[in-house]
Amino acid sequence: MRHLKKGRKLKRTHSHRKATLSALATALFLHKRIVTTVAKAKEARRFAEKLITKAKRGDIHARRLVARFIRNRKALKELFDEIAPRAMDRPGGYTRVVRLGFRRGDSAELAVLELVDYNIGTGMVKPKKEKTKEVAEQQVAS
């Protein structure tokens, strides 16, 4: 039984899981949204939100704590200079997971992990179809 066992193993060793979560968080901070599997997205959400909470402090000790996991300097600068100040008034819940459907090759369930304060748009919205001339004339006539 898995009582009191937090987190998902993601079928990886500890070091591989740590590297995967660091890479996902780095990509999230650089691009503001990433597409991955639901399990990875949920686990990366926990990981990234803890890093954003530490970054909100803004001091050098917090920067060094976060730099243990985020090795990319550009991502670290983005986190401390742009993401953390925007999240200052938010008491948690900095990210959202939106399910997309199933991947074609292996039927893995995909999701978008995105930062809440950066609403870029999903890109999944279908454009509205324009009414044909006949339909428009019928609606005007009735």
Side-chain angles (χ1 to χ4, degrees), residues 25-130:
T26 300
L28 177 66
F29 297 147
L30 287 175
H31 303 293
K32 311 301 186 271
R33 65 192 306 258
I34 55 173
V35 177
T36 184
T37 62
V38 172
K40 286 182 197 169
K42 287 181 176 180
E43 201 58 31
R45 174 180 56 187
R46 292 180 61 222
F47 185 77
E49 291 204 3
K50 289 176 185 177
L51 295 179
I52 294 171
T53 301
K54 284 179 186 151
K56 282 170 57 174
R57 287 191 356 216
D59 56 351
I60 190 69
H61 182 59
R63 186 176 286 267
R64 287 177 178 161
L65 287 175
V66 173
R68 289 180 187 175
F69 302 103
I70 306 300
R71 299 298 178 112
N72 187 332
R73 287 187 181 203
K74 187 176 177 184
L76 194 65
K77 182 171 175 48
E78 183 87 14
L79 174 62
F80 276 86
D81 294 346
E82 292 185 28
I83 297 169
R86 271 189 160 182
M88 200 60 74
D89 58 337
R90 185 181 292 274
Y94 314 112
T95 59
R96 107 174 30 102
V97 175
V98 180
R99 292 172 186 253
L100 291 178
F102 295 94
R103 189 162 47 200
R104 186 169 180 190
D106 60 355
S107 291
E109 192 172 6
L110 294 179
V112 172
L113 176 63
E114 60 186 358
L115 294 171
V116 172
D117 292 329
Y118 293 87
N119 290 332
I120 300 170
T122 59
M124 302 293 288
V125 179
K126 294 181 182 177
K128 292 184 179 179
K129 293 182 180 178
E130 293 184 21

Side-chain angles (χ1 to χ4, degrees), residues 12-30:
R12 287 163 168 77
T13 61
H14 173 73
S15 58
H16 189 186
R17 188 167 50 249
K18 184 176 159 186
T20 301
L21 294 175
S22 292
L24 287 171
T26 300
L28 177 66
F29 297 147
L30 287 175

